[in-house]
Amino acid sequence: MYRIAAGLSGMQFCVFHCDTGPNSRYDSDYKGIIDWGESLRAGFQNSYFDCYHDLGTALWAWQPSVILQYGYASKGALSLLFGARSRRIPVVHRGLLSPYRDPRTPALSRAWRMVRPLVLRMFDAHHFGGAYHQRVLSEAGISARRSFFVPYSVDTPHFSALADDPSQIAEACQIRQRLGWSAASPVLLFLAQHSWVKGPDIMLDIAAIGQRTMPDLKLIMAGNGVMTEHLKTQAGLKLRPGSWHFPGFVSSKKTVPWYLASDLVVFPSRYDTWSRAVNEAMLCRRACQVSHLVGAAGGLVDDGVNGMVVQGLEPNHHAESMLSYLRAPWDFRRRFGDEARNRALEFSYENHSNDLRRSFIETATNPTSRTAAQKHRFD
């Protein structure tokens, strides 16, 4: 999204950030630095700072006409918001908002829910990426005039092009061959952090239940994390020998063959503000089954049209939905895959670059928290 914003005509765009190296970010669920397989700073002007104080000092010196702030809960984020308001600089908020409480921090989540509407109303405008996020904004009293649909997406041209690349299709076939799985074997894919909140333990139970009536069912558990070794032990106890595989962490730029090697991608998360792997899988023409707690269930996955949304976390319910899909005729599943691709293409940054531009222009020229005139860096 930053690269597209930097390419919009008639404006200067710079990212001020405190992230780690150019190809990596610290991930608390992985408990370490993760290399995502590409430069996270290429394609747009950016400035790195060790702390929010230095970032703020440089930001005010840059004299922006409008600020796009990602989130509000991280350390130093609210001080930047207050600093912008004191200087009468309008701020557009972009963040991952869920109507559900984070089960990992119930007390903190409950506290944030009480103050969140007040914080959200301090911004001049908001991006929303899906129906769940729009609902949170609406409940906070944010008007439609101050809300802009800029989806939570991925590098859409990259995934859609690779999904049709013969070399990627051949690699997907090789994955099955190396594992000794036939082309006819139904394969489930779980691709996420191996952390409790993502539900990898639920995934194992879903597969185990499925194998009772579909003995040839296979499972790929891509990713790693604090639960990986425990999950491997449980897979050995619950699943048929030779029916499961843990390929380890797969960077985002190398996930396509794994999607293509699967028949259904499952996201049984206990909580997830979006899950961009859903976008990736759908661009690869793979239907996704998600729990209703996954943010992508609000606008991207259309239950019964391009994927399945399962209410709750009960493995039996997920297994029933999964088996129903895998038993359906090939033409039916292919239609689901085509619908998934079409929907994910609609959710691209490229399709909504005008909404991105409008969020900057309209907020800079018609702010709600600022009255003084200010120089704008727009044509």
Side-chain angles (χ1 to χ4, degrees):
M1 188 198 71
Y2 292 160
R3 293 165 188 161
I4 290 174
L8 297 175
S9 62
M11 68 173 65
Q12 297 180 46
F13 181 84
C14 182
V15 175
F16 293 76
H17 62 100
C18 297
D19 279 338
T20 51
N23 304 315
S24 58
R25 295 185 66 175
Y26 178 82
D27 192 290
S28 59
D29 289 308
Y30 287 108
K31 305 299 182 184
I33 301 295
I34 295 298
D35 187 340
W36 295 106
E38 65 170 326
S39 174
L40 301 179
R41 300 184 191 173
F44 52 87
Q45 180 184 350
N46 66 93
S47 296
Y48 168 77
F49 302 91
D50 290 324
C51 65
Y52 267 104
H53 178 269
D54 293 341
L55 186 155
T57 300
L59 179 60
W60 311 137
W62 200 63
Q63 296 183 326
S65 302
V66 61
I67 296 171
L68 174 66
Q69 180 169 321
Y70 205 112
Y72 57 81
S74 59
K75 183 179 179 181
L78 286 179
S79 64
L80 283 178
L81 176 59
F82 291 136
R85 287 184 61 86
S86 68
R87 292 168 175 79
R88 295 183 176 180
I89 303 173
V91 184
V92 179
H93 171 250
R94 180 176 180 82
L96 295 165
L97 303 172
S98 173
Y100 302 106
R101 291 178 181 172
D102 189 336
R104 295 168 295 182
T105 55
L108 180 61
S109 182
R110 187 179 301 109
W112 266 116
R113 292 304 160 93
M114 296 174 64
V115 302
R116 183 168 66 177
L118 299 176
V119 175
L120 293 176
R121 289 197 289 269
M122 292 179 62
F123 290 94
D124 296 88
H126 297 265
H127 288 176
F128 67 92
Y132 283 6
H133 311 89
Q134 188 177 26
R135 170 181 156 189
V136 172
L137 294 176
S138 177
E139 291 176 351
I142 307 300
S143 69
R145 182 178 59 85
R146 295 170 57 195
S147 301
F148 299 85
F149 178 58
V150 182
Y152 297 120
S153 191
V154 293
D155 187 345
T156 299
H158 168 83
F159 287 99
S160 56
L162 277 190
D164 297 332
D165 188 327
S167 67
Q168 299 293 299
I169 297 171
E171 187 173 345
C173 293
Q174 291 171 10
I175 288 174
R176 285 186 175 236
Q177 291 171 1
R178 288 196 301 268
L179 295 172
W181 299 349
S182 73
S185 296
V187 177
L188 302 178
L189 173 64
F190 175 93
L191 194 155
Q193 302 154 350
H194 292 175
S195 59
W196 176 82
V197 74
K198 295 290 187 178
D201 52 325
I202 300 175
M203 184 71 253
L204 285 182
D205 288 338
I206 294 170
I209 294 170
Q211 285 186 348
R212 296 173 191 169
T213 56
M214 191 175 284
D216 198 31
L217 183 67
K218 314 298 184 185
L219 173 63
I220 297 173
M221 294 285 289
N224 62 16
V226 296
M227 293 180 66
T228 299
E229 294 309 313
H230 172 72
L231 291 168
K232 289 180 180 179
T233 300
Q234 290 299 304
L237 296 173
K238 295 181 177 182
L239 302 179
R240 294 173 180 271
S243 69
W244 50 274
H245 177 59
F246 284 69
F249 175 77
V250 181
S251 68
S252 185
K253 290 298 184 180
K254 298 180 180 179
T255 54
V256 170
W258 296 97
Y259 293 126
L260 297 179
S262 69
D263 295 286
L264 179 66
V265 190
V266 184
F267 298 84
S269 302
R270 292 178 168 94
Y271 176 82
D272 206 322
T273 49
W274 185 256
S275 191
R276 286 178 176 81
V278 177
N279 298 67
E280 296 177 4
M282 292 174 67
L283 286 168
C284 293
R285 292 192 178 90
R286 289 301 179 265
C288 294
Q289 178 171 301
V290 304
S291 80
H292 77 283
L293 299 168
V294 175
L300 181 57
V301 180
D302 192 352
D303 185 39
V305 176
N306 60 30
M308 291 77 74
V309 178
V310 179
Q311 297 297 312
L313 299 169
E314 174 57 48
N316 281 298
H317 295 162
H318 280 267
E320 181 181 354
S321 175
M322 173 267 295
L323 289 169
S324 176
Y325 176 78
L326 293 178
R327 287 169 174 159
W330 167 246
D331 287 346
F332 174 88
R333 288 186 284 143
R334 183 178 60 184
R335 185 166 66 251
F336 258 55
D338 290 341
E339 290 291 342
R341 161 72 76 91
N342 293 336
R343 186 61 174 153
L345 287 173
E346 291 177 17
F347 258 70
S348 69
Y349 295 126
E350 290 80 3
N351 269 4
H352 295 276
S353 61
N354 187 54
D355 296 296
L356 180 62
R357 180 184 175 84
R358 284 181 50 241
S359 73
F360 299 148
I361 299 290
E362 294 183 17
T363 304
T365 54
N366 298 292
T368 59
S369 64
R370 185 194 57 159
T371 57
Q374 185 178 9
K375 182 180 75 173
H376 301 304
R377 296 185 176 192
F378 305 113
D379 286 344

